[in-house]
Amino acid sequence: MFTLIGISADFDPVHKGHEHLLNEARKLADELDKKVVVYLNKGFSANHAPFFVDFDARREMALALGADEVRAFEGLHHRLVLSYSVPIRLKQMIDDGVTDYITSASISLDEIKSKAQKFIDEGNFVGMPKSYTNRNEIRWYAINEFLGSRLNYHVVDEFNKDKYSGRLIRQSIIDNDMVITGDVEKMLPKTTVEILKREIDAGRTPGERNWKDIYKRMNTYSRGNLEKIAYLNGNTINEIIKRRVYRDPESIWAVFRRSDYGPVMTRLAISSIEMEVTKKEVMDLMKSYESEGVIPENQKVQRVIDRAWYVACEGERGISARDANNKFRSENIAVENPPLSLEAGLNLTKFETKITKEGINTDLYVDKNGRISVQFKSEGKKIKTNLRLPAVEVTYLRYIMDSHFIPVSGSIKKAKKGFKVKVDIG
């Protein structure tokens, strides 16, 4: 059996705040005769960014300060938001035999429990308010309760978070040409300083994105191909197309700001572009964990589809999307059989109709005027046209296409007159 520590920190790098947490975990572990196991995120941080210090060096830092073992969470944070990755990480810990979870916070365990109750009751962990202090710790507690309170939850006092900030430490080192200043050195354990200097001298720090591939995809991918990438919606794709060419990170951040993405969602979207993560890949990953009972009911893929259909139908009755969405969540509305395929008409010229053939696969996208459109190739010709659908189906399909992780695909189907597109959802 193990005592787990440090989940809410990437340890990038390990500073004296982390050392304090490790020391408290060591005391608890010795008292309970258990091991201290640190789970570190690998690949991308919980905030969907490349790590400043790579996994092996951070592992070494944690072991130097008394951890018995370090394990990895890998392959999650360029694919999933926290409300989905946290249940998966907790499941891995539980399966590994972890019995206790320890974290640091500036609020008490009682306050964490109180704030978490609303989300536990709803069974939905999306949209944790930004105003919540220690909202990550609240999310972990709430999801632990959802999973049956498998882990004993321990909270120690936070160690001067404003001073001991990994983000500020990293920024200071970068601003000082990769030199650890005296002020920063005081914030770091001696072992961390030694390891960090070694990594800097070896050129392994800081970790960086593959900007070359990101620029290439944002500069050259069609709307249809960008639509396949997770966490890009129709408006954002059109902004990407409109603002080409991209040659520096700031121009990429700017396009996401114009699309009303916050910093966290921007990092996730850029990571998805960098790793070419598709909506289908994300959906299939979610469904695999749904089958294991890890994903809350209200966060399942089908509920996202249900909500899109419900909000579209309510819109036909004159109900605003905001009111319909709030009612769907608060009243846990049941939706019967939302359509998972639609048949859409096409606006083809005589020549295009002549060369179009049944069974051709199509890409769906939102054109620069906000209309749902389709593109495909036939006999070497690229054909683009808007779809013809009833208003409620247009609204429904647009919600699905903007869902960030539910794919849509199309194929040409022969109709009584001409052709249609069979649109498959999910």
Side-chain angles (χ1 to χ4, degrees), residues 123-170:
N124 191 329
F125 307 100
V126 177
M128 192 74 65
K130 292 181 180 180
S131 60
Y132 276 13
T133 302
N134 297 120
R135 61 180 175 152
N136 196 41
E137 285 70 31
I138 295 167
R139 180 184 287 110
W140 276 83
Y141 177 83
I143 295 175
N144 184 45
E145 290 296 302
F146 161 75
L147 291 174
S149 193
R150 304 287 187 86
L151 303 181
N152 298 316
Y153 205 93
H154 307 272
V155 176
V156 301
D157 289 338
E158 205 160 50
F159 195 70
N160 195 346
K161 184 177 181 180
D162 291 338
K163 179 178 180 182
Y164 295 94
S165 160
R167 180 180 60 81
L168 296 178
I169 290 169
R170 295 190 296 271

Side-chain angles (χ1 to χ4, degrees), residues 79-113:
R79 293 186 174 101
L80 299 170
V81 294
L82 283 173
S83 52
Y84 287 88
S85 70
V86 172
I88 294 169
R89 286 182 280 168
L90 274 168
K91 173 69 162 50
Q92 180 178 330
M93 291 158 45
I94 292 165
D95 288 348
D96 284 352
V98 172
T99 59
D100 295 76
Y101 172 79
I102 184 168
T103 189
S104 59
S106 60
I107 59 178
S108 68
L109 180 55
D110 285 342
E111 190 170 350
I112 288 173
K113 290 179 179 179

Side-chain angles (χ1 to χ4, degrees), residues 260-312:
D260 295 326
Y261 279 48
V264 173
M265 280 304 299
T266 296
R267 287 192 292 269
L268 179 54
I270 294 172
S271 296
S272 293
I273 295 169
E274 179 179 358
M275 303 303 291
E276 212 161 10
V277 178
T278 65
K279 290 177 180 176
K280 186 178 187 307
E281 179 182 343
V282 174
M283 182 191 70
D284 288 347
L285 182 63
M286 289 179 178
K287 284 188 172 183
S288 72
Y289 283 101
E290 285 179 16
S291 67
E292 297 181 29
V294 175
I295 305 299
E297 188 68 32
N298 284 329
Q299 291 178 210
K300 290 182 177 179
V301 171
Q302 186 58 51
R303 286 300 283 170
V304 177
I305 294 171
D306 290 348
R307 181 174 60 198
W309 182 243
Y310 176 77
V311 173

Side-chain angles (χ1 to χ4, degrees), residues 223-277:
R223 286 181 173 86
N225 284 332
L226 288 170
E227 175 62 40
K228 293 184 177 73
I229 295 179
Y231 305 104
L232 300 183
N233 61 32
N235 289 337
T236 304
I237 291 167
N238 280 315
E239 283 292 329
I240 289 172
I241 300 289
K242 181 180 177 182
R243 307 289 174 179
R244 287 172 172 170
V245 174
Y246 301 98
R247 297 188 180 93
D248 58 81
E250 178 52 38
S251 64
I252 290 175
W253 274 83
V255 82
F256 283 102
R257 282 197 299 271
R258 291 188 185 98
S259 303
D260 295 326
Y261 279 48
V264 173
M265 280 304 299
T266 296
R267 287 192 292 269
L268 179 54
I270 294 172
S271 296
S272 293
I273 295 169
E274 179 179 358
M275 303 303 291
E276 212 161 10
V277 178

